mmCIF file of all heavy atoms in Angstrom:
data_model
loop_
_atom_site.group_PDB
_atom_site.id
_atom_site.type_symbol
_atom_site.label_atom_id
_atom_site.label_comp_id
_atom_site.label_asym_id
_atom_site.label_seq_id
_atom_site.Cartn_x
_atom_site.Cartn_y
_atom_site.Cartn_z
ATOM 1 N N THR A 1 103.799 54.720 101.802
ATOM 2 C CA THR A 1 103.638 53.302 101.472
ATOM 3 C C THR A 1 102.404 52.754 102.174
ATOM 4 O O THR A 1 101.930 53.317 103.164
ATOM 5 C CB THR A 1 104.870 52.494 101.897
ATOM 6 O OG1 THR A 1 104.997 52.543 103.332
ATOM 7 C CG2 THR A 1 106.139 53.033 101.262
ATOM 8 N N TYR A 2 101.907 51.599 101.649
ATOM 9 C CA TYR A 2 100.635 51.075 102.142
ATOM 10 C C TYR A 2 100.683 49.594 102.489
ATOM 11 O O TYR A 2 99.681 49.051 102.942
ATOM 12 C CB TYR A 2 99.533 51.348 101.108
ATOM 13 C CG TYR A 2 99.331 52.820 100.888
ATOM 14 C CD1 TYR A 2 100.053 53.491 99.902
ATOM 15 C CD2 TYR A 2 98.480 53.557 101.691
ATOM 16 C CE1 TYR A 2 99.898 54.856 99.710
ATOM 17 C CE2 TYR A 2 98.311 54.914 101.510
ATOM 18 C CZ TYR A 2 99.031 55.561 100.519
ATOM 19 O OH TYR A 2 98.890 56.918 100.349
ATOM 20 N N HIS A 3 101.803 48.935 102.256
ATOM 21 C CA HIS A 3 101.936 47.557 102.713
ATOM 22 C C HIS A 3 103.409 47.269 102.980
ATOM 23 O O HIS A 3 104.295 48.047 102.604
ATOM 24 C CB HIS A 3 101.324 46.546 101.731
ATOM 25 C CG HIS A 3 101.975 46.526 100.391
ATOM 26 N ND1 HIS A 3 103.174 45.906 100.134
ATOM 27 C CD2 HIS A 3 101.570 47.038 99.200
ATOM 28 C CE1 HIS A 3 103.484 46.037 98.868
ATOM 29 N NE2 HIS A 3 102.532 46.720 98.274
ATOM 30 N N SER A 4 103.672 46.162 103.646
ATOM 31 C CA SER A 4 105.013 45.888 104.159
ATOM 32 C C SER A 4 106.055 45.770 103.052
ATOM 33 O O SER A 4 107.209 46.176 103.232
ATOM 34 C CB SER A 4 104.998 44.614 105.001
ATOM 35 O OG SER A 4 104.546 43.503 104.244
ATOM 36 N N GLY A 5 105.677 45.224 101.891
ATOM 37 C CA GLY A 5 106.630 45.082 100.799
ATOM 38 C C GLY A 5 107.136 46.426 100.314
ATOM 39 O O GLY A 5 108.348 46.627 100.132
ATOM 40 N N GLU A 6 106.217 47.354 100.074
ATOM 41 C CA GLU A 6 106.614 48.704 99.674
ATOM 42 C C GLU A 6 107.514 49.337 100.722
ATOM 43 O O GLU A 6 108.550 49.923 100.409
ATOM 44 C CB GLU A 6 105.373 49.591 99.509
ATOM 45 C CG GLU A 6 104.489 49.283 98.337
ATOM 46 C CD GLU A 6 103.225 50.128 98.331
ATOM 47 O OE1 GLU A 6 102.912 50.776 99.361
ATOM 48 O OE2 GLU A 6 102.546 50.138 97.300
ATOM 49 N N ASP A 7 107.090 49.231 101.982
ATOM 50 C CA ASP A 7 107.823 49.910 103.048
ATOM 51 C C ASP A 7 109.225 49.344 103.219
ATOM 52 O O ASP A 7 110.169 50.087 103.504
ATOM 53 C CB ASP A 7 107.040 49.823 104.358
ATOM 54 C CG ASP A 7 107.633 50.717 105.437
ATOM 55 O OD1 ASP A 7 107.743 51.937 105.184
ATOM 56 O OD2 ASP A 7 108.001 50.199 106.502
ATOM 57 N N ARG A 8 109.393 48.036 103.057
ATOM 58 C CA ARG A 8 110.736 47.449 103.175
ATOM 59 C C ARG A 8 111.684 48.018 102.130
ATOM 60 O O ARG A 8 112.842 48.313 102.427
ATOM 61 C CB ARG A 8 110.657 45.923 103.038
ATOM 62 C CG ARG A 8 110.254 45.198 104.299
ATOM 63 C CD ARG A 8 110.537 43.703 104.193
ATOM 64 N NE ARG A 8 109.784 43.078 103.123
ATOM 65 C CZ ARG A 8 108.572 42.550 103.270
ATOM 66 N NH1 ARG A 8 107.978 42.599 104.449
ATOM 67 N NH2 ARG A 8 107.947 41.980 102.244
ATOM 68 N N VAL A 9 111.196 48.153 100.892
ATOM 69 C CA VAL A 9 112.041 48.697 99.826
ATOM 70 C C VAL A 9 112.419 50.138 100.138
ATOM 71 O O VAL A 9 113.594 50.523 100.077
ATOM 72 C CB VAL A 9 111.332 48.608 98.463
ATOM 73 C CG1 VAL A 9 112.141 49.320 97.385
ATOM 74 C CG2 VAL A 9 111.110 47.154 98.073
ATOM 75 N N VAL A 10 111.428 50.963 100.468
ATOM 76 C CA VAL A 10 111.682 52.374 100.746
ATOM 77 C C VAL A 10 112.604 52.531 101.947
ATOM 78 O O VAL A 10 113.591 53.285 101.896
ATOM 79 C CB VAL A 10 110.351 53.125 100.970
ATOM 80 C CG1 VAL A 10 110.607 54.537 101.493
ATOM 81 C CG2 VAL A 10 109.544 53.174 99.679
ATOM 82 N N LYS A 11 112.310 51.835 103.030
ATOM 83 C CA LYS A 11 113.129 51.942 104.236
ATOM 84 C C LYS A 11 114.573 51.539 103.960
ATOM 85 O O LYS A 11 115.518 52.223 104.396
ATOM 86 C CB LYS A 11 112.540 51.058 105.346
ATOM 87 C CG LYS A 11 113.349 51.067 106.632
ATOM 88 C CD LYS A 11 112.620 50.323 107.743
ATOM 89 C CE LYS A 11 112.486 48.856 107.468
ATOM 90 N NZ LYS A 11 111.904 48.128 108.630
ATOM 91 N N GLY A 12 114.768 50.447 103.227
ATOM 92 C CA GLY A 12 116.118 49.979 102.955
ATOM 93 C C GLY A 12 116.924 50.988 102.153
ATOM 94 O O GLY A 12 118.096 51.258 102.476
ATOM 95 N N ILE A 13 116.326 51.563 101.116
ATOM 96 C CA ILE A 13 117.044 52.519 100.275
ATOM 97 C C ILE A 13 117.341 53.803 101.040
ATOM 98 O O ILE A 13 118.461 54.349 100.969
ATOM 99 C CB ILE A 13 116.240 52.808 98.999
ATOM 100 C CG1 ILE A 13 116.222 51.565 98.098
ATOM 101 C CG2 ILE A 13 116.826 54.001 98.244
ATOM 102 C CD1 ILE A 13 115.309 51.691 96.903
ATOM 103 N N LEU A 14 116.377 54.313 101.786
ATOM 104 C CA LEU A 14 116.597 55.561 102.515
ATOM 105 C C LEU A 14 117.613 55.383 103.639
ATOM 106 O O LEU A 14 118.437 56.281 103.889
ATOM 107 C CB LEU A 14 115.270 56.092 103.069
ATOM 108 C CG LEU A 14 114.229 56.500 102.025
ATOM 109 C CD1 LEU A 14 113.020 57.128 102.700
ATOM 110 C CD2 LEU A 14 114.811 57.451 100.984
ATOM 111 N N ARG A 15 117.595 54.249 104.300
ATOM 112 C CA ARG A 15 118.585 54.013 105.358
ATOM 113 C C ARG A 15 119.992 53.900 104.782
ATOM 114 O O ARG A 15 120.960 54.396 105.371
ATOM 115 C CB ARG A 15 118.215 52.747 106.146
ATOM 116 C CG ARG A 15 117.073 52.968 107.120
ATOM 117 C CD ARG A 15 116.847 51.756 107.999
ATOM 118 N NE ARG A 15 115.845 52.043 109.023
ATOM 119 C CZ ARG A 15 115.418 51.152 109.912
ATOM 120 N NH1 ARG A 15 115.892 49.901 109.894
ATOM 121 N NH2 ARG A 15 114.521 51.482 110.811
ATOM 122 N N GLN A 16 120.108 53.235 103.641
ATOM 123 C CA GLN A 16 121.421 53.140 103.011
ATOM 124 C C GLN A 16 121.923 54.521 102.603
ATOM 125 O O GLN A 16 123.106 54.849 102.802
ATOM 126 C CB GLN A 16 121.365 52.227 101.794
ATOM 127 C CG GLN A 16 122.725 52.046 101.114
ATOM 128 C CD GLN A 16 122.659 51.111 99.939
ATOM 129 O OE1 GLN A 16 121.601 50.869 99.366
ATOM 130 N NE2 GLN A 16 123.792 50.549 99.565
ATOM 131 N N ALA A 17 121.053 55.352 102.047
ATOM 132 C CA ALA A 17 121.446 56.705 101.657
ATOM 133 C C ALA A 17 121.868 57.521 102.876
ATOM 134 O O ALA A 17 122.811 58.322 102.798
ATOM 135 C CB ALA A 17 120.294 57.393 100.922
ATOM 136 N N ALA A 18 121.189 57.315 104.017
ATOM 137 C CA ALA A 18 121.559 58.024 105.240
ATOM 138 C C ALA A 18 122.928 57.558 105.747
ATOM 139 O O ALA A 18 123.760 58.377 106.171
ATOM 140 C CB ALA A 18 120.494 57.818 106.304
ATOM 141 N N ARG A 19 123.187 56.243 105.699
ATOM 142 C CA ARG A 19 124.487 55.726 106.139
ATOM 143 C C ARG A 19 125.618 56.243 105.259
ATOM 144 O O ARG A 19 126.745 56.440 105.729
ATOM 145 C CB ARG A 19 124.476 54.189 106.125
ATOM 146 C CG ARG A 19 123.659 53.565 107.247
ATOM 147 C CD ARG A 19 123.958 52.083 107.380
ATOM 148 N NE ARG A 19 123.578 51.334 106.183
ATOM 149 C CZ ARG A 19 122.410 50.749 106.015
ATOM 150 N NH1 ARG A 19 121.477 50.820 106.964
ATOM 151 N NH2 ARG A 19 122.143 50.075 104.896
ATOM 152 N N GLN A 20 125.332 56.468 103.991
ATOM 153 C CA GLN A 20 126.332 56.997 103.065
ATOM 154 C C GLN A 20 126.533 58.497 103.209
ATOM 155 O O GLN A 20 127.407 59.078 102.540
ATOM 156 C CB GLN A 20 125.907 56.673 101.631
ATOM 157 C CG GLN A 20 125.910 55.187 101.299
ATOM 158 C CD GLN A 20 125.266 54.897 99.950
ATOM 159 O OE1 GLN A 20 124.517 55.713 99.403
ATOM 160 N NE2 GLN A 20 125.543 53.718 99.406
ATOM 161 N N GLY A 21 125.737 59.135 104.065
ATOM 162 C CA GLY A 21 125.860 60.570 104.267
ATOM 163 C C GLY A 21 125.229 61.410 103.178
ATOM 164 O O GLY A 21 125.496 62.615 103.077
ATOM 165 N N ARG A 22 124.364 60.790 102.375
ATOM 166 C CA ARG A 22 123.728 61.518 101.272
ATOM 167 C C ARG A 22 122.476 62.252 101.727
ATOM 168 O O ARG A 22 122.116 63.287 101.146
ATOM 169 C CB ARG A 22 123.356 60.560 100.141
ATOM 170 C CG ARG A 22 124.543 59.836 99.526
ATOM 171 C CD ARG A 22 124.060 58.826 98.503
ATOM 172 N NE ARG A 22 123.393 59.489 97.393
ATOM 173 C CZ ARG A 22 122.497 58.899 96.601
ATOM 174 N NH1 ARG A 22 122.138 57.634 96.820
ATOM 175 N NH2 ARG A 22 121.952 59.560 95.602
ATOM 176 N N VAL A 23 121.787 61.724 102.740
ATOM 177 C CA VAL A 23 120.540 62.328 103.201
ATOM 178 C C VAL A 23 120.495 62.333 104.728
ATOM 179 O O VAL A 23 121.213 61.594 105.398
ATOM 180 C CB VAL A 23 119.299 61.566 102.662
ATOM 181 C CG1 VAL A 23 119.288 61.530 101.147
ATOM 182 C CG2 VAL A 23 119.233 60.156 103.238
ATOM 183 N N ARG A 24 119.625 63.191 105.234
ATOM 184 C CA ARG A 24 119.300 63.220 106.661
ATOM 185 C C ARG A 24 117.887 62.698 106.830
ATOM 186 O O ARG A 24 116.961 63.136 106.134
ATOM 187 C CB ARG A 24 119.403 64.649 107.189
ATOM 188 C CG ARG A 24 118.976 64.827 108.645
ATOM 189 C CD ARG A 24 119.331 66.209 109.140
ATOM 190 N NE ARG A 24 118.539 67.245 108.506
ATOM 191 C CZ ARG A 24 117.419 67.760 109.029
ATOM 192 N NH1 ARG A 24 116.949 67.304 110.197
ATOM 193 N NH2 ARG A 24 116.763 68.718 108.400
ATOM 194 N N ASP A 25 117.712 61.762 107.753
ATOM 195 C CA ASP A 25 116.401 61.174 107.999
ATOM 196 C C ASP A 25 115.545 62.166 108.782
ATOM 197 O O ASP A 25 115.929 62.615 109.867
ATOM 198 C CB ASP A 25 116.564 59.868 108.790
ATOM 199 C CG ASP A 25 115.284 59.053 108.868
ATOM 200 O OD1 ASP A 25 114.224 59.580 108.495
ATOM 201 O OD2 ASP A 25 115.356 57.892 109.289
ATOM 202 N N LEU A 26 114.392 62.514 108.237
ATOM 203 C CA LEU A 26 113.479 63.450 108.898
ATOM 204 C C LEU A 26 112.414 62.738 109.721
ATOM 205 O O LEU A 26 111.675 63.392 110.462
ATOM 206 C CB LEU A 26 112.792 64.333 107.847
ATOM 207 C CG LEU A 26 113.716 65.193 106.982
ATOM 208 C CD1 LEU A 26 112.894 65.936 105.930
ATOM 209 C CD2 LEU A 26 114.512 66.171 107.824
ATOM 210 N N THR A 27 112.313 61.434 109.581
ATOM 211 C CA THR A 27 111.304 60.653 110.309
ATOM 212 C C THR A 27 111.984 59.401 110.856
ATOM 213 O O THR A 27 112.037 58.376 110.173
ATOM 214 C CB THR A 27 110.138 60.247 109.378
ATOM 215 O OG1 THR A 27 110.685 59.650 108.187
ATOM 216 C CG2 THR A 27 109.310 61.452 108.976
ATOM 217 N N ARG A 28 112.503 59.483 112.055
ATOM 218 C CA ARG A 28 113.233 58.338 112.622
ATOM 219 C C ARG A 28 112.364 57.084 112.608
ATOM 220 O O ARG A 28 112.828 55.981 112.367
ATOM 221 C CB ARG A 28 113.684 58.659 114.049
ATOM 222 C CG ARG A 28 114.740 59.753 114.124
ATOM 223 C CD ARG A 28 115.126 60.039 115.546
ATOM 224 N NE ARG A 28 115.787 58.892 116.149
ATOM 225 C CZ ARG A 28 117.097 58.671 116.081
ATOM 226 N NH1 ARG A 28 117.875 59.523 115.428
ATOM 227 N NH2 ARG A 28 117.635 57.626 116.662
ATOM 228 N N ARG A 29 111.089 57.264 112.875
ATOM 229 C CA ARG A 29 110.091 56.219 112.699
ATOM 230 C C ARG A 29 109.048 56.739 111.712
ATOM 231 O O ARG A 29 108.770 57.936 111.681
ATOM 232 C CB ARG A 29 109.430 55.859 114.029
ATOM 233 C CG ARG A 29 110.374 55.226 115.038
ATOM 234 C CD ARG A 29 109.633 54.848 116.294
ATOM 235 N NE ARG A 29 110.503 54.200 117.259
ATOM 236 C CZ ARG A 29 110.112 53.790 118.463
ATOM 237 N NH1 ARG A 29 108.836 53.965 118.835
ATOM 238 N NH2 ARG A 29 110.972 53.211 119.282
ATOM 239 N N PRO A 30 108.469 55.854 110.916
ATOM 240 C CA PRO A 30 107.485 56.344 109.937
ATOM 241 C C PRO A 30 106.302 57.003 110.625
ATOM 242 O O PRO A 30 105.830 56.544 111.676
ATOM 243 C CB PRO A 30 107.065 55.075 109.192
ATOM 244 C CG PRO A 30 107.403 53.944 110.102
ATOM 245 C CD PRO A 30 108.624 54.389 110.865
ATOM 246 N N LEU A 31 105.826 58.093 110.040
ATOM 247 C CA LEU A 31 104.622 58.750 110.534
ATOM 248 C C LEU A 31 103.403 57.955 110.099
ATOM 249 O O LEU A 31 103.397 57.327 109.036
ATOM 250 C CB LEU A 31 104.534 60.175 110.003
ATOM 251 C CG LEU A 31 105.715 61.099 110.284
ATOM 252 C CD1 LEU A 31 105.413 62.504 109.764
ATOM 253 C CD2 LEU A 31 106.038 61.140 111.766
ATOM 254 N N ARG A 32 102.369 57.981 110.919
ATOM 255 C CA ARG A 32 101.118 57.299 110.605
ATOM 256 C C ARG A 32 99.977 58.301 110.665
ATOM 257 O O ARG A 32 100.064 59.324 111.341
ATOM 258 C CB ARG A 32 100.856 56.174 111.632
ATOM 259 C CG ARG A 32 101.965 55.129 111.730
ATOM 260 C CD ARG A 32 102.161 54.363 110.428
ATOM 261 N NE ARG A 32 100.976 53.682 109.987
ATOM 262 C CZ ARG A 32 100.656 52.429 110.320
ATOM 263 N NH1 ARG A 32 101.450 51.734 111.125
ATOM 264 N NH2 ARG A 32 99.558 51.864 109.854
ATOM 265 N N PRO A 33 98.874 58.046 109.969
ATOM 266 C CA PRO A 33 97.724 58.952 110.045
ATOM 267 C C PRO A 33 97.129 58.946 111.447
ATOM 268 O O PRO A 33 97.206 57.934 112.163
ATOM 269 C CB PRO A 33 96.747 58.359 109.028
ATOM 270 C CG PRO A 33 97.139 56.929 108.904
ATOM 271 C CD PRO A 33 98.623 56.878 109.103
ATOM 272 N N ASP A 34 96.563 60.087 111.836
ATOM 273 C CA ASP A 34 95.917 60.110 113.139
ATOM 274 C C ASP A 34 94.580 59.367 113.066
ATOM 275 O O ASP A 34 94.122 58.968 111.998
ATOM 276 C CB ASP A 34 95.737 61.541 113.653
ATOM 277 C CG ASP A 34 94.886 62.413 112.733
ATOM 278 O OD1 ASP A 34 94.018 61.870 112.012
ATOM 279 O OD2 ASP A 34 95.078 63.637 112.737
ATOM 280 N N GLU A 35 93.984 59.193 114.221
ATOM 281 C CA GLU A 35 92.762 58.384 114.296
ATOM 282 C C GLU A 35 91.638 58.968 113.450
ATOM 283 O O GLU A 35 90.893 58.241 112.793
ATOM 284 C CB GLU A 35 92.311 58.270 115.753
ATOM 285 C CG GLU A 35 91.107 57.371 115.956
ATOM 286 C CD GLU A 35 90.726 57.211 117.423
ATOM 287 O OE1 GLU A 35 91.460 57.731 118.286
ATOM 288 O OE2 GLU A 35 89.691 56.568 117.692
ATOM 289 N N ALA A 36 91.529 60.308 113.444
ATOM 290 C CA ALA A 36 90.448 60.949 112.688
ATOM 291 C C ALA A 36 90.598 60.675 111.192
ATOM 292 O O ALA A 36 89.621 60.362 110.506
ATOM 293 C CB ALA A 36 90.452 62.456 112.954
ATOM 294 N N GLU A 37 91.828 60.780 110.664
ATOM 295 C CA GLU A 37 92.021 60.527 109.238
ATOM 296 C C GLU A 37 91.793 59.059 108.909
ATOM 297 O O GLU A 37 91.208 58.731 107.876
ATOM 298 C CB GLU A 37 93.422 60.942 108.794
ATOM 299 C CG GLU A 37 93.649 60.677 107.311
ATOM 300 C CD GLU A 37 94.965 61.176 106.777
ATOM 301 O OE1 GLU A 37 95.802 61.628 107.576
ATOM 302 O OE2 GLU A 37 95.164 61.122 105.544
ATOM 303 N N ALA A 38 92.259 58.168 109.776
ATOM 304 C CA ALA A 38 92.075 56.737 109.529
ATOM 305 C C ALA A 38 90.596 56.373 109.462
ATOM 306 O O ALA A 38 90.192 55.509 108.674
ATOM 307 C CB ALA A 38 92.770 55.931 110.615
ATOM 308 N N LEU A 39 89.786 57.043 110.262
ATOM 309 C CA LEU A 39 88.343 56.796 110.237
ATOM 310 C C LEU A 39 87.691 57.409 109.008
ATOM 311 O O LEU A 39 86.757 56.841 108.433
ATOM 312 C CB LEU A 39 87.694 57.360 111.504
ATOM 313 C CG LEU A 39 87.992 56.610 112.810
ATOM 314 C CD1 LEU A 39 87.446 57.382 114.004
ATOM 315 C CD2 LEU A 39 87.391 55.208 112.774
ATOM 316 N N ALA A 40 88.176 58.574 108.582
ATOM 317 C CA ALA A 40 87.550 59.286 107.466
ATOM 318 C C ALA A 40 87.987 58.763 106.104
ATOM 319 O O ALA A 40 87.250 58.892 105.131
ATOM 320 C CB ALA A 40 87.877 60.776 107.568
#
């Protein structure tokens, strides 16, 4: 995702699926690009 609106939707759906026992969260916090990629 690239802005807060997208991320809120994705986070909400994935968290609900995790609470229902349907999925396991692989990223407790969202991953971000490293400094080199952000610059490039």
Side-chain angles (χ1 to χ4, degrees):
T1 64
Y2 298 90
H3 63 78
S4 59
E6 290 175 347
D7 190 57
R8 279 194 298 270
V9 173
V10 170
K11 178 173 66 174
I13 291 173
L14 296 185
R15 283 187 174 178
Q16 182 178 21
R19 287 194 297 267
Q20 294 171 341
R22 299 175 64 204
V23 302
R24 175 170 69 95
D25 191 349
L26 300 176
T27 50
R28 293 179 65 88
R29 295 182 178 179
L31 304 184
R32 303 297 302 270
D34 60 28
E35 184 177 355
E37 180 175 7
L39 289 172

